Amino acid sequence: MASRCWALPLAVPVVFLVAASKPVSAVTLNCVARDAVFEKLRETKGEVPSHAGLAANGSLLEVTVNPDGSWTAFFTFPDGLTCPFATGEAWRDIAEPVDDPAA
């Protein structure tokens, strides 16, 4: 039995390297026309656009939020396709800290 134990420490890094070598292109996003996905979320979940920001790759990061806290995050690309990549619950806005001691 002791002769088999030496394989475990070698197998763990090999399994990790094989799993980590999966190319990024293997991740598939279900991208659709922006208007269609936003309208569907408004109708089914009551989510409306709430936050947006420009990403370094030229895409627009957008978040839709429902007043009850459900949310969906998207990338919208210059070609008009919108790709949801995360959803969740319990969204809340965090008040910005005040840097001005006089405020």
Side-chain angles (χ1 to χ4, degrees), residues 72-83:
T72 306
F74 306 88
F75 282 119
T76 298
F77 294 96
D79 64 3
L81 287 179
T82 296
C83 309

Side-chain angles (χ1 to χ4, degrees), residues 15-58:
V15 169
F16 175 76
L17 288 174
V18 169
S21 66
K22 187 174 185 179
V24 173
S25 61
V27 175
T28 303
L29 295 176
N30 294 321
C31 302
V32 296
R34 183 183 184 281
D35 292 342
V37 72
F38 276 60
E39 185 60 32
K40 178 87 171 171
L41 282 171
R42 182 177 287 115
E43 291 174 2
T44 61
K45 297 174 81 175
E47 291 184 13
V48 295
S50 176
H51 298 80
L54 191 59
N57 67 357

